[in-house]
Amino acid sequence: MRFVLNVIWLVLAGFWMALGYLLAGVICCILIVTFPFGVASFRIANYVLWPFGREVVARPGSGAPSMVGNVIWLIFAGWWLALGHLLTSIPLFISIVGIPFGWANLKLIPVSLMPLGREIVPSESAFGR
Protein backbone atom coordinates (compact mmCIF):
# COMPACT_ATOMS: atom_id res chain seq x y z
CA MET A 1 0.00 0.00 0.00
CA ARG A 2 2.88 2.36 0.79
CA PHE A 3 4.26 1.85 -2.69
CA VAL A 4 0.96 2.84 -4.31
CA LEU A 5 0.61 5.89 -2.06
CA ASN A 6 4.18 6.97 -2.80
CA VAL A 7 3.73 6.62 -6.56
CA ILE A 8 0.51 8.68 -6.51
CA TRP A 9 2.20 11.21 -4.23
CA LEU A 10 5.16 11.46 -6.58
CA VAL A 11 2.90 12.32 -9.50
CA LEU A 12 0.57 14.72 -7.66
CA ALA A 13 2.93 16.66 -5.42
CA GLY A 14 6.23 14.98 -4.59
CA PHE A 15 8.13 15.70 -7.78
CA TRP A 16 7.28 19.40 -7.80
CA MET A 17 8.02 19.92 -4.14
CA ALA A 18 11.31 18.02 -4.42
CA LEU A 19 12.33 20.39 -7.21
CA GLY A 20 11.83 23.29 -4.80
CA TYR A 21 14.04 21.64 -2.20
CA LEU A 22 16.67 20.81 -4.83
CA LEU A 23 16.73 24.43 -5.97
CA ALA A 24 17.11 25.62 -2.37
CA GLY A 25 19.89 23.06 -1.84
CA VAL A 26 21.83 24.12 -4.92
CA ILE A 27 21.58 27.78 -3.91
CA CYS A 28 22.73 26.96 -0.38
CA CYS A 29 25.69 24.90 -1.63
CA ILE A 30 27.14 27.89 -3.47
CA LEU A 31 28.70 29.28 -0.28
CA ILE A 32 30.73 27.26 2.20
CA VAL A 33 28.92 28.82 5.14
CA THR A 34 25.49 27.68 3.94
CA PHE A 35 26.59 24.21 2.83
CA PRO A 36 24.91 22.45 5.83
CA PHE A 37 21.61 24.01 4.74
CA GLY A 38 22.10 22.59 1.26
CA VAL A 39 22.73 19.11 2.65
CA ALA A 40 19.60 19.36 4.80
CA SER A 41 17.61 20.53 1.78
CA PHE A 42 18.79 17.57 -0.32
CA ARG A 43 17.90 15.20 2.52
CA ILE A 44 14.38 16.64 2.73
CA ALA A 45 14.03 16.52 -1.07
CA ASN A 46 14.64 12.77 -0.85
CA TYR A 47 12.00 12.50 1.86
CA VAL A 48 9.50 14.61 -0.08
CA LEU A 49 9.84 12.32 -3.10
CA TRP A 50 8.87 9.18 -1.14
CA PRO A 51 7.34 10.14 2.27
CA PHE A 52 4.99 7.27 3.08
CA GLY A 53 6.63 4.73 5.35
CA ARG A 54 9.08 7.25 6.83
CA GLU A 55 8.85 9.76 9.67
CA VAL A 56 10.77 12.82 10.79
CA VAL A 57 11.96 12.68 14.41
CA ALA A 58 14.04 15.00 16.55
CA ARG A 59 17.71 14.07 16.62
CA PRO A 60 18.90 13.69 20.20
CA GLY A 61 21.84 15.88 21.07
CA SER A 62 21.18 18.66 18.58
CA GLY A 63 21.18 21.84 20.54
CA ALA A 64 21.77 25.54 20.11
CA PRO A 65 23.64 25.37 16.77
CA SER A 66 20.69 23.59 15.17
CA MET A 67 18.27 26.15 16.57
CA VAL A 68 20.34 29.09 15.28
CA GLY A 69 20.63 27.36 11.90
CA ASN A 70 16.88 26.76 11.83
CA VAL A 71 16.17 30.45 12.43
CA ILE A 72 18.46 31.38 9.52
CA TRP A 73 16.84 28.67 7.34
CA LEU A 74 13.35 29.88 8.29
CA ILE A 75 14.13 33.43 7.22
CA PHE A 76 15.73 32.62 3.87
CA ALA A 77 14.17 29.39 2.59
CA GLY A 78 11.87 27.69 5.08
CA TRP A 79 8.85 29.90 4.80
CA TRP A 80 8.93 29.71 0.97
CA LEU A 81 8.96 25.93 1.06
CA ALA A 82 6.24 25.82 3.74
CA LEU A 83 4.13 28.13 1.59
CA GLY A 84 4.69 25.74 -1.32
CA HIS A 85 3.41 22.84 0.79
CA LEU A 86 0.39 24.84 1.87
CA LEU A 87 -0.49 25.92 -1.66
CA THR A 88 0.02 22.41 -3.01
CA SER A 89 -2.25 20.92 -0.35
CA ILE A 90 -5.23 23.13 -1.27
CA PRO A 91 -5.99 21.53 -4.67
CA LEU A 92 -5.33 18.09 -3.17
CA PHE A 93 -8.04 18.65 -0.55
CA ILE A 94 -10.58 19.47 -3.25
CA SER A 95 -10.79 15.87 -4.47
CA ILE A 96 -11.67 12.95 -2.22
CA VAL A 97 -8.73 10.92 -3.52
CA GLY A 98 -6.31 13.76 -2.76
CA ILE A 99 -7.27 14.28 0.89
CA PRO A 100 -4.60 11.91 2.33
CA PHE A 101 -2.02 13.61 0.13
CA GLY A 102 -3.14 17.04 1.30
CA TRP A 103 -2.64 15.92 4.89
CA ALA A 104 0.78 14.51 3.99
CA ASN A 105 1.67 17.88 2.49
CA LEU A 106 0.64 19.69 5.66
CA LYS A 107 2.63 17.16 7.70
CA LEU A 108 5.77 18.24 5.82
CA ILE A 109 5.45 21.91 6.82
CA PRO A 110 7.24 21.61 10.21
CA VAL A 111 10.30 19.96 8.67
CA SER A 112 10.34 22.52 5.86
CA LEU A 113 10.42 25.30 8.48
CA MET A 114 12.98 23.75 10.84
CA PRO A 115 15.01 20.96 9.17
CA LEU A 116 18.17 21.00 11.28
CA GLY A 117 18.25 18.75 14.33
CA ARG A 118 15.88 16.24 12.77
CA GLU A 119 16.38 12.93 11.05
CA ILE A 120 14.29 10.81 8.72
CA VAL A 121 13.73 7.24 9.86
CA PRO A 122 11.50 4.35 8.76
CA SER A 123 8.06 4.50 10.40
CA GLU A 124 8.72 1.32 12.35
CA SER A 125 11.82 2.91 13.95
CA ALA A 126 10.05 6.16 14.81
CA PHE A 127 7.65 4.48 17.21
CA GLY A 128 10.42 2.72 19.12
CA ARG A 129 12.10 5.98 20.13
Side-chain angles (χ1 to χ4, degrees):
M1 187 64 169
R2 287 182 187 164
F3 178 77
V4 173
L5 288 172
N6 279 319
V7 169
I8 295 170
W9 167 263
L10 184 65
V11 172
L12 294 179
F15 180 74
W16 310 110
M17 291 306 302
L19 285 178
Y21 284 100
L22 289 174
L23 177 64
V26 168
I27 291 170
C28 288
C29 285
I30 291 173
L31 299 174
I32 294 173
V33 176
T34 56
F35 192 78
F37 301 117
V39 172
S41 186
F42 293 142
R43 190 184 47 175
I44 298 169
N46 180 23
Y47 177 57
V48 168
L49 278 174
W50 211 256
F52 294 97
R54 299 192 286 174
E55 298 288 328
V56 177
V57 296
R59 183 182 317 144
S62 61
S66 291
M67 182 54 73
V68 171
N70 279 330
V71 170
I72 294 169
W73 171 264
L74 176 68
I75 293 169
F76 291 106
W79 73 277
W80 285 102
L81 294 166
L83 183 64
H85 283 295
L86 183 64
L87 293 176
T88 305
S89 69
I90 293 169
L92 291 171
F93 278 121
I94 292 173
S95 70
I96 293 174
V97 174
I99 291 173
F101 304 109
W103 281 117
N105 232 334
L106 294 179
K107 190 173 117 179
L108 290 167
I109 289 176
V111 73
S112 71
L113 291 172
M114 304 256 179
L116 303 175
R118 298 175 188 251
E119 61 184 327
I120 300 162
V121 297
S123 293
E124 297 82 25
S125 299
F127 297 115
R129 288 183 169 239

